[in-house]
Amino acid sequence: MPQRMLKPLGRRLAPCALALWAALLWGCAHGSLEGEGEVTLFQVSTIDALMEGVYEGQVSFARLAREGDLGIGTFHELDGELVALDGEFYQVKSSGQVLPVDPAMKTPYADVVRFRPQRVVQLKGTFNVDELCQAIDQELASLNLFHAVRIDGFYQDIKARAVAAQQRPYPKLVEAAKGQGMFRFQDLKGTVLGIRSPLYAKGISVPGWHLHFIDQSRTSAGHVMDLAIKDPKVQVMTINKFAMLLPDKGEFLNSDLVTDKSEDLRTVEKGR
């Protein structure tokens, strides 16, 4: 994937964010960003900023691809759902269309990681999304660390969604989500992937599991609302390092990032 630096963004960064970018650039020039035993989750902005309507793209996907090959997120002006798998980045539009991502496109919010599974868990039985998340949680050594997951298999049922592009003045996410596209896929092979954030990361990331789906043909995808899968084989990676890049311009600067948005986030994530 082409490499392109975002020089305009770099010039606008606040001191703390500038230090983070300097560390990232040093890592790119000197090999891996990770030391021995370190696994880094790289995040753009915060989930509460997205909840507040901070939808302006900040980081290019060319830049994001340098930080990870598996991930989730969204696009400039909230234009769909991101699925990053095996280093390939896809945009899921609210119409249901799945498109390869142009590296020059930008994201206002995303999580990516270099996915190298450390453990494979074979679960037995048929699971919906809540049951699957609970079963995986029971297999984790600690819920105080971040985790990434990949679940390949035959899905009996998938309920998914993709948010629609917004125009200024941007509404809050709980309002924007009312116009999202809803999809249902049945009896197809595909992959559910995502990130689990500890509960103490509330306001920064989505607490618990945040899952997206893409089918084997790369034509059906979206943010997972529910699913049905039998005997899933789960690949898990524990993450012990977190790097976040914050915007220092636009709506982010004056957004309400203090008020608890848990109920609105639950509505957005689960539709309930």
Side-chain angles (χ1 to χ4, degrees):
M1 186 170 287
Q3 309 293 313
R4 186 170 71 86
M5 295 307 303
L6 295 183
K7 294 182 180 178
L9 177 60
R11 288 195 297 267
R12 294 191 300 265
L13 291 175
C16 60
L18 183 59
L20 173 59
W21 270 89
L24 292 173
L25 293 177
W26 187 94
C28 290
H30 294 77
S32 172
L33 296 179
E34 300 160 0
E36 185 176 355
E38 294 179 354
V39 179
T40 302
L41 177 67
F42 181 82
Q43 181 169 305
V44 177
S45 192
T46 73
I47 190 60
D48 270 8
L50 197 71
M51 292 293 297
E52 283 292 295
V54 182
Y55 303 148
E56 184 177 356
Q58 296 292 325
V59 177
S60 75
F61 283 92
R63 180 71 178 85
L64 199 66
R66 299 220 303 269
E67 307 302 337
D69 53 20
L70 178 146
I72 53 181
T74 188
F75 294 80
H76 176 63
E77 296 191 329
L78 204 68
D79 190 11
E81 308 287 337
L82 166 65
V83 178
L85 183 65
D86 294 328
E88 298 179 348
F89 287 65
Y90 298 92
Q91 179 185 22
V92 188
K93 304 277 283 185
S94 61
S95 63
Q97 188 178 19
V98 180
L99 301 171
V101 174
D102 183 334
M105 296 170 69
K106 295 181 180 181
T107 177
Y109 177 82
D111 282 307
V112 293
V113 66
R114 295 188 183 100
F115 189 71
R116 305 294 182 267
Q118 301 151 338
R119 186 180 178 197
V120 177
V121 178
Q122 179 64 66
L123 299 174
K124 294 295 184 181
T126 300
F127 298 82
N128 63 28
V129 69
D130 291 335
E131 293 165 344
L132 180 61
C133 291
Q134 292 168 10
I136 298 172
D137 281 354
Q138 292 175 6
E139 299 291 334
L140 303 178
S142 174
L143 300 183
N144 291 333
L145 295 171
F146 290 81
H147 294 84
V149 71
R150 173 174 177 162
I151 309 165
D152 299 283
F154 185 83
Y155 288 85
Q156 300 163 330
D157 192 43
I158 289 275
K159 295 178 182 177
R161 68 108 195 272
V163 290
Q166 303 297 306
Q167 296 181 344
R168 293 182 183 277
Y170 297 138
K172 293 185 179 183
L173 185 55
V174 71
E175 293 299 321
K178 293 178 180 179
Q180 65 193 1
M182 300 294 295
F183 322 117
R184 187 167 187 178
F185 313 120
Q186 293 182 306
D187 299 329
L188 76 175
K189 291 182 178 180
T191 303
V192 164
L193 61 122
I195 304 295
R196 188 193 192 282
S197 300
L199 297 185
Y200 62 74
K202 180 179 69 172
I204 301 296
S205 302
V206 176
W209 288 103
H210 184 178
L211 303 173
H212 288 190
F213 169 80
I214 191 165
D215 76 327
Q216 193 174 60
S217 68
R218 307 302 192 246
T219 57
S220 301
H223 172 101
V224 175
M225 306 294 284
D226 203 357
L227 57 76
I229 187 172
K230 184 178 180 181
D231 299 337
K233 183 180 289 186
V234 182
Q235 299 181 71
V236 180
M237 184 174 69
T238 300
I239 298 165
N240 60 5
K241 189 174 181 180
F242 182 84
M244 181 171 62
L245 181 64
L246 296 174
D248 74 336
K249 64 181 182 63
E251 290 87 349
F252 183 88
L253 298 183
N254 298 309
S255 293
D256 174 13
L257 304 183
V258 177
T259 303
D260 189 343
K261 299 170 177 58
S262 300
E263 289 301 318
D264 284 349
L265 180 59
R266 187 174 297 109
T267 299
V268 169
E269 290 293 304
K270 300 293 187 180
R272 59 178 184 270

